[in-house]
Amino acid sequence: MTLTTPRVRTGRITFFVALAVFAQESTWNLYDSQVPPLLREHVSSAALIGALMGMDNLLGIFIQPWMGNRSDGTRTSWGRRIPYLVVGMPIAGVLFVLIPHAAASLPLLVLTMFGYALVANSFKPIAESLVPDFVAPERRSRANAAVKIASSITVIVAALISLFLIDDFPKLSFAIPAVLMLASVAVLAWRVRDSESPAYRAALEEDRAGHTENSPRVRMRDVLLDILRDTDRSRLLVVLAVLAFGSAWFASRSLITNYGMEALGMSRGDAGGLTLPSGLAFIAAAYPVALLAERFGRLRVILAGMAVFAAAMVLGTVVRTPAGTVVAMCVAAAGASAFMVNMAVVLWNLAPSARVLGTYTGLYTVGWAGGGFLGPALVGGMVDVTGWPLLLLDLALVTAVAVLLVARVAVLQRRRDDGRAL
C-alpha cells in the first residue's frame, strides 16, 4: 500500500494517540483491579465473578472489529476516527464514574459494567487506528511502541490509585481516570483532524477511483471473505498467531499468583507481586525492539522475541525459586514486547487498502481478546494434567505454536516481491 500524500508530523500524532490510549487504559486497569471487590460484596462464587469480569473481553471480540469497520467507512470534515472518540470517550467516562455508585445493587452494578464495557470497547480500536492512518508503514513500529509504553504506564497509575486513594475515597478514585479521559478527548478534538491523515486522503482517492462516494465502507463480511479466500494465508496466520501468543501472555498473568502459592510456597501477597518488575522490563524494551524491527525486519524480531519468551519460561521451570521466577518473567516480558509492539504493524502493513485499516485493527484485537478469553482456561487445563510446577513449561509450549505460525508467515513473505514493508 503506497501513500503519496504529504508527510505529517508523526511525533506529534504519536503523542496524541498515546495520550488517548493512556486515558482509556487508565480506566480499564482500575476497572480490572477494583471492580472485583465490588462484585465480591454480592457474589461469593469466584467463577461467577470471573465470568462477569470477562464480559468485556467477550464483548470486545464482537464489537471492536465491527466498530473499526464502521469508522473506516465514515467520511466527515473531522475525518473518520475523531467523531467516534469525541462521542464515545465522554460517555465511557461518565459510565465509569457511575460504577461505584451503582455498587449497592448487583443488577444495577452489572448493568453499569455492561454499559461501560460496551462503550469503551466501541472506540478502543478506533484510537489505535490513528497510528496507521498518520504514520508511514516503515515508521509504525516506533509509533506503536510509544502507544504500548503509555498503555503499560497505566498499570502503575492504577496501582497508585489503589494504594493511596481507594480505601479512603472509593468513589472519588474512579473519577480520576475518567477526568484523564475527558481531558485527553478534549485535546484530541482540539488538535487532531484525521481528515488530514495520509490514509484518509488515500481512502478518499480510492472512493473516487471506484465511484463509491455513496457507500465508502467496505463490508465486514467482504473483508473476512477476502482474508479467508486468500491463497497466501499470511493475514489469517497473523490473526491466529495473535490468538496463540495472547493465550500464553494472558495465562502467564492470570495464573502466576496461584503458581507462586502452589509451586513456590509463597503467600498470596508475595505471589501477586511476581510480575511487577516485569512491567518495568516491558517498558524498557518496547522502544528498542521497535528500532530493531525497523532495522532487521519485524517478523525476525517478533520470532526472536517469542523465542526469548519461551526460553525464559523454560529457565523459570529449571530455576524454580521466587527470584528465578521474577528474572524469568522480566526476560519474558522483554521478549513479549517484540510481539506486542510489532505484530499489529505487520497486520496493518498487510492490509490491501487504506480503507480497511480500522477493520484490521479490530481483527488484531479480536485475536488478542480471544487469547485473553481462552488462554487462561487452556493453560489451566494443561496445569490440571501436568501440575503447577510445570506451568511455565506449559506456557512455553503454547508460545511454540505462535512461533510456528509466525515462521510460516515469514516463509510466505519471503516468496513475495511486492515491496510491502512488514
Side-chain angles (χ1 to χ4, degrees):
M1 180 175 59
T2 302
L3 302 179
T4 58
T5 47
R7 183 181 298 273
V8 298
R9 295 174 60 186
T10 58
R12 173 178 171 271
I13 193 62
T14 298
F15 169 78
F16 289 131
V17 176
L19 178 65
V21 172
F22 174 84
Q24 293 176 40
E25 293 299 320
S26 293
T27 63
W28 277 118
N29 278 293
L30 194 65
Y31 178 92
D32 289 337
S33 65
Q34 293 303 327
V35 171
L38 298 178
L39 291 170
R40 185 67 180 82
E41 296 177 3
H42 304 279
V43 179
S44 59
S45 169
L48 182 55
I49 292 174
L52 290 171
M53 290 303 298
M55 174 176 56
D56 60 289
N57 279 327
L58 188 59
L59 284 171
I61 291 173
F62 297 99
I63 294 171
Q64 293 190 23
W66 183 76
M67 285 301 298
N69 181 251
R70 294 292 302 182
S71 70
D72 280 337
T74 299
R75 303 290 184 262
T76 73
S77 60
W78 258 354
R80 54 184 176 176
R81 317 288 187 206
I82 298 299
Y84 291 96
L85 298 177
V86 169
V87 173
M89 291 177 73
I91 295 175
V94 171
L95 289 169
F96 186 75
V97 170
L98 291 177
I99 288 175
H101 296 275
S105 165
L106 179 61
L108 186 57
L109 174 60
V110 172
L111 181 62
T112 308
M113 290 169 57
F114 179 85
Y116 165 75
L118 181 67
V119 177
N121 269 304
S122 296
F123 61 79
K124 184 176 175 64
I126 294 175
E128 296 173 3
S129 296
L130 289 170
V131 171
D133 279 353
F134 278 94
V135 182
E138 64 274 11
R139 294 289 185 180
R140 287 173 181 170
S141 283
R142 63 181 68 186
N144 201 39
V147 172
K148 294 300 182 185
I149 289 171
S151 177
S152 299
I153 292 174
T154 62
V155 177
I156 300 174
V157 172
L160 291 174
I161 293 175
S162 296
L163 183 62
F164 293 110
L165 294 175
I166 200 72
D167 289 334
D168 295 326
F169 307 100
K171 295 180 179 179
L172 180 62
S173 297
F174 278 74
I176 296 174
V179 169
L180 290 175
M181 183 179 287
L182 293 174
S184 70
V185 73
V187 172
L188 282 172
W190 176 39
R191 302 294 296 174
V192 178
R193 295 289 184 274
D194 69 286
S195 58
E196 302 172 357
S197 72
Y200 185 77
R201 293 176 178 178
L204 292 179
E205 288 297 325
E206 291 182 40
D207 291 348
R208 285 189 284 269
H211 305 289
T212 59
E213 291 88 344
N214 294 327
S215 182
R217 184 166 67 92
V218 179
R219 293 184 305 172
M220 187 72 197
R221 177 176 177 271
D222 294 333
V223 173
L224 294 176
L225 288 176
D226 178 53
I227 293 174
L228 293 173
R229 291 172 177 172
D230 186 3
T231 57
D232 180 82
R233 300 296 185 193
S234 290
R235 292 171 292 173
L236 178 60
L237 291 173
V238 166
V239 175
L240 291 176
V242 173
L243 174 67
F245 189 74
S247 295
W249 174 260
F250 282 104
S252 73
R253 265 34 199 172
S254 63
L255 299 177
I256 194 66
T257 298
N258 285 348
Y259 171 79
M261 297 168 65
E262 299 289 341
L264 304 178
M266 302 174 70
S267 69
R268 179 181 176 184
D270 290 340
L274 284 172
T275 59
L276 181 58
S278 66
L280 300 177
F282 180 95
I283 293 172
Y287 199 75
V289 298
L291 299 180
L292 289 172
E294 293 177 1
R295 176 71 173 82
F296 298 106
R298 292 183 179 89
L299 292 176
R300 289 180 181 177
V301 171
I302 289 170
L303 284 168
M306 288 193 295
V308 168
F309 184 93
M313 295 297 97
V314 174
L315 172 65
T317 303
V318 174
V319 186
R320 198 180 303 149
T321 65
T325 301
V326 169
V327 171
M329 296 303 289
C330 288
V331 175
S337 68
F339 185 99
M340 294 165 69
V341 165
N342 293 298
M343 202 54 162
V345 180
V346 170
L347 194 57
W348 287 331
N349 292 356
L350 284 170
S353 165
R355 298 173 68 209
V356 294
L357 286 172
T359 306
Y360 274 60
T361 303
L363 291 175
Y364 177 87
T365 60
V366 164
W368 195 246
F373 187 69
L374 298 175
L378 171 64
V379 177
M382 296 171 71
V383 168
D384 288 340
V385 176
T386 63
W388 282 106
L390 295 183
L391 166 68
L392 301 188
L393 190 59
D394 294 335
L395 293 170
L397 291 175
V398 176
T399 304
V401 175
V403 170
L404 293 175
L405 291 168
V406 176
R408 180 58 181 166
V409 175
V411 170
L412 292 173
Q413 292 306 307
R414 279 198 294 270
R415 296 175 181 172
R416 300 182 64 96
D417 186 24
D418 60 2
R420 284 188 287 188
L422 292 186

